[in-house]
Amino acid sequence: MRLEGKRAIVTGAGSGFGAGIARRFLAEGAMVMVADINEEAARGVAEEFGGIAHHADVADGASVDAMIARGIEVMGGIDILVNNAGVTHLPALMEDVTEADFDRVFAVNCKSIYLAARTLVPHMKAAKAGNILNISSTAGLSPRPRLNWYNASKGWVNTATKAMAVELAPSGIRVNALNPVAGETPLLKSFMGEDTPEMRAKFLATIPLGRFSTPEDMANAALYLCSDEASMVTGVCMEVDGGRCI
């Protein structure tokens, strides 16, 4: 029960890494709002594990405001925010990625963190405590070809994490990030372009431990960073990548 009494919002929690993190937080005693643009998926996770389902578009300011307002209303406050929701564009030459895809990647992966901070940080400052965890990617540390603008968006997340951490530390708010390698999530096919044994083998060859990251791997790391055990840890971009960035 390492999160007993904590109140958390996990975005993109209807599937993949977000669902794994939400499930682990619930098992460790936290109240969890399972937020996702796919309301049915959020409801499924919440009903199975006991969380609070909420429909949210993290790229829309009004939707983010409503999510945080409901979290405060239903849970009595928010101690932890996991900015997990993310998207990518299909593998392509950088000049061939459409403007619409570029805008969507940066709206969901980057602007969402700003929108949430704009609304939630004043509440955390008033409480003189809080914990924000941004889900980044090894793509922001060791970019893969043909995923240029996705790589760049995750590099932004890493820099934003450190900038947020140093500014918010005097207010008792910790900010960290996780950098997973590609995992068994709905985004995997988008990263690879096609899900074939050959493409999987090509990806796995770049990971020294020889496997993709799993929602459980991410949940374990998120649990540590969001628990009081990491009370002296802020501004860290932790690699959960099987050695990919070595």
Side-chain angles (χ1 to χ4, degrees), residues 192 195-207 210 212:
M192 296 190 299
D195 190 353
T196 64
E198 292 76 20
M199 286 301 296
R200 283 185 172 237
K202 183 178 178 181
F203 258 64
L204 287 171
T206 69
I207 305 171
F212 293 116

Side-chain angles (χ1 to χ4, degrees), residues 2 29 46 56 68 79 83 87-88 104 113 117-118 122 138 145 157 166 171-173 222 224 239 241-243 246:
R2 291 155 72 185
I68 291 169
D79 304 297
N83 288 307
V87 295
T88 186
R104 178 169 172 265
I113 295 174
R118 180 184 68 174
T138 53
V157 172
V166 74
S171 299
I173 302 167
Y224 167 67
E239 297 158 23
D241 67 349
I246 296 172

Side-chain angles (χ1 to χ4, degrees), residues 54-220:
H54 184 81
H55 172 265
D57 177 355
V58 297
D60 179 79
S63 184
V64 171
D65 289 348
M67 174 184 73
I68 291 169
R70 184 171 179 230
I72 292 170
E73 177 187 0
V74 174
M75 298 189 291
I78 299 166
D79 304 297
I80 299 167
L81 171 67
V82 181
N83 288 307
N84 169 76
V87 295
T88 186
H89 55 79
L90 292 174
L93 297 174
M94 66 175 72
E95 65 270 27
D96 291 339
V97 175
T98 67
E99 184 174 355
D101 278 348
F102 176 93
D103 287 344
R104 178 169 172 265
V105 165
F106 274 81
V108 175
N109 294 359
C110 304
K111 185 181 179 182
S112 62
I113 295 174
Y114 153 74
L115 291 173
R118 180 184 68 174
T119 305
L120 182 57
V121 162
H123 294 282
M124 289 184 165
K125 283 183 174 179
K128 295 183 171 56
N131 201 314
I132 299 172
L133 180 64
N134 299 321
I135 306 303
S136 185
S137 170
T138 53
L141 299 169
S142 181
R144 292 184 186 272
R146 295 170 60 83
L147 287 170
N148 193 80
W149 307 117
Y150 173 77
N151 298 333
S153 75
K154 292 304 187 177
W156 184 99
V157 172
N158 291 332
T159 300
T161 296
K162 292 179 179 293
M164 293 169 73
V166 74
E167 180 170 331
L168 296 177
S171 299
I173 302 167
R174 297 191 297 110
V175 187
N176 293 291
L178 292 179
N179 285 264
V181 74
E184 295 280 3
T185 75
L187 279 184
L188 181 60
K189 184 177 180 180
S190 297
F191 289 131
M192 296 190 299
E194 56 178 345
D195 190 353
T196 64
E198 292 76 20
M199 286 301 296
R200 283 185 172 237
K202 183 178 178 181
F203 258 64
L204 287 171
T206 69
I207 305 171
L209 283 182
R211 67 174 178 83
F212 293 116
S213 56
T214 68
E216 291 73 27
D217 293 324
M218 291 293 287
N220 290 334

